[in-house]
Amino acid sequence: MNSIALILGLPLIGFIINGVIGKQLPKIVSGLLGISTILIAFILTASKLSQFVSNESFSESLKLFTFLNVDNLVLEASFKFDRLSIWMTMIITGIGTLIHVYSMAYMWNDEGFHKFFSYLNFFVFNMLMLVLGSNFLMLFFGWEGVGLCSYLLIGFWYSRPEYGKAARKAFIMNRIGDLGLLLGMFLLIHQFGTLDYDGVIEGISQGKTSAGMLTAISMLLFVGAMGKSAQIPLYTWLPDAMAGPTPVSALIHAATMVTAGIYLIVRTQVLFEMAPFTSEFIFWIGLSTSILAALIGLKQNDIKKVLAYSTVSQLGFMFVALGCGAYTTAMFHLTTHAFFKALLFLGAGSVIHGVHHEQDIRLMGGLKSKMPITYITFLIGTLAITGFPFLSGFFSKDEILTHVFEHNKIGYGLMVFSALLTGIYMFRMFFVTFHGSYRNTHFSFDKVHESPMGMTLPLIVLAVLSLIGGALNLPEYLTHQSGILANWLKPILTIEETKHAISHSTEYILIGVAILVFVTALLFTRSKYVSNHHVPKDEESTGVQGYMENKFYVDELYNTIFVKPLEGLSDILGNFFESKVISPLSFGINSVLTKVGKLNRYIQDGNIEKYLLYMVIGVVILIGINLFI
Amino acid sequence: MLSIFQNLDISHYIYLSCVLFSIGLFGVLFRRNAIVLLMCIELMLNAVNLLLAAFTEYMGDPNANGQMFVFFIMVVAAAEAAVGLAIIVMVYRNTRKTDVSFLDSLKD
Amino acid sequence: MSLFQNLPIAFLILSFITILCALYVVTSKNPVHSVLALILTFFSISAHYVLLNAQFLAIVNLMVYAGAIMVLFLFVLMLLNLNKESEPIKSNLWAIAASISAGLMLVVITASFQKAGIAIMKGNTEEIGLVKNLGRVLMTEYLVPFELSGILFIAAMVGAVLLGKKEKNSEELVNLNNS
């Protein structure tokens, strides 16, 4: 049997079984079912990976059926393993397995246990469809599917109205992006007559379309990526998405789904290479997103909100890399980010679990003595994201910075600032949570406990991955050869990545700057939050800090620009148009019909004789018409 | 017997059966007793039968297709009379009337 | 009158009787008289059949119509005790409307037949209307309709029996309708 079918089908089977008869199954069975489907998919992918390693040009495809066949347009439900999709599949199934294991412990006491696992499996299925599809159509199906799962899982505890609101917000914001993607796909069909990746690439190489059209298509695709990957201006849904259970935040809103935008751009890199304007646009959007999100993250007090803004910021980093044309680097940061952000989120979940569902870091503190494993793994995650030398995040972020330095010097300065902010908000959160003294008066410190094995085990695995993840793509100055990932992706990258034009000495200076930034952030936050025992206050901050605390009023801005006018318009339509135009019109039609009906009633009085007479008259008229006309 | 047709043409039969048909139709419209209505319908059917027989003669059809149709019309008429009379008996049993003017429950 | 010129006397007399009886069927106030007049009409139509070389048809018409169906009508009339002049007469308006409609119908159908043109009948041999010939055609060309009409009869019979069966709650229905 085709392994693609198995890899795709297993999560689907898990979803169906858990979704249909999950309630009747014991929790252990339904949980293990959820885990095992993903685990087997992971093992299968790994075995495929070994085939890829041994065979340079190995690829495997699966054509299920022809979806649509009109005129010259043929849309097929087909899937393909190539080096990019298998890399993504490894991340999705690998981290997916760990998070499923974690979820089993985390969600054990929840009523919706089966529902949760069926949704998670369905998500994995859709995500795999997204990355394995060999054309835009399959990507779009997966794209919408993960959006749906995201909506379902954000609103998982739907009895809380604000969670439902957050889910709707995420769904609607994603729709805006999806519209861009859809329009981009229509343009692709219009220009190339196909949605196949290969067909599109071939069409571009044959110069079938103009540069302007390429820019338009790439911009529209990027709008799609913007929505899914939470970039300015469509990022506000992601922090609100933290309403969902924490494993969901880790899997969907940090490690996998939000990287779909990155994947889309790497997949269609040819397009973006040919559209320099779009690349530049992506660069600046990514840069401003990373700084804005980091600034907001500085002032957040909800442990998951901080991580959410951090995710937005890190996604901005990836888009910056894409804007520079450094696709390998973006994929590298995507991978390491998946490791350490999943670790951080799961760690946060463990903390929340330990302090009885309290998420405010102001009400934590001193947790390190009570939760040693969580503490150490969380520390590794924090160090990895802030760029502690030789941890995974250090290499990937450094690579991005180097590319940016080559690309644009001002951009480099801003990126360094953003990296500094990353260090500050992460250490702030870390110190406030784990150091100092415990501050919650409603939940005694004695009851704080370490999480069970099922939760700490994935943490440990992810911590190890975060530690050594950098080995996937060691920089050239250390090993004097290109990294594993760079070699891996080279065959599918259509253009040669620009070799570093800068000398090794400059690189060492850049590394020095990066380490300096890390140390500055560490020392600053340590002196403020550990030595001085500073705790964020409740009262309103003023000035710039106030803006940061209130997320720069972006939500309010969107409210004023989009929601209020729309509401006003609906008010006008509802109060004036409806009552003065629509109702009179429809009631008028109604009354006319009623009157006609009343007239008709005189004819239809139920008397058979009259009916007979009418019938005879009718027949006479018909024959008469036939005769004389 | 052929000799009597020497001067006879089809139009005379047409007039005759048209008159019969119209008389039947007048009865259907004018009378109120359901049984008489049925009888008037039989009259109309017979007018048609007569015309069919006349056309057979007119066409000189050796297969007598027109007469065949008369047979089938008779079949239908017999069946119709049986069911119609059963319905009238049924109606009479329920309402003690056979007057179609009072059968106006269609309007409800 | 040119219409009646050169017509065989037999045809004229028969037609006269037919129309007269038919008119009586329609206008008689007593339903039983109507039935008897209708039987007379059928007799005269049968005579027409004989004139038209349709001898078998004439016999069947007498047996089926005059013999069976009309007896059935008479039987039902007696059963329902309607053999008196119980029928209320309709208003003049109705009489006028009915005569106008029927007259118009007469005009249009004769007009439409007029278009077909007038021609002398070709005439047939005498054997055409005999059982031998008709039976052959009926059993060859018209076999399927013939069988189907058998099924129709069964259906009609079953329907009539079902309808005529006395329902248990018919008395209640009467009460319901009277109240």
Side-chain angles (χ1 to χ4, degrees), chain A residues 609-610 613 616-617 619-620 623-624 626-628, chain C residues 90 94 97-98 101 104-105 108-109 111-112 115:
Chain A
E609 297 169 294
K610 282 189 187 169
L613 188 63
V616 170
I617 293 170
V619 171
V620 167
I623 298 177
N626 234 342
L627 267 182
F628 301 115
Chain C
K90 283 187 179 174
W94 260 110
S101 306
L104 273 174
M105 184 62 100
V108 285
I109 53 177
S112 61
K115 279 199 158 182

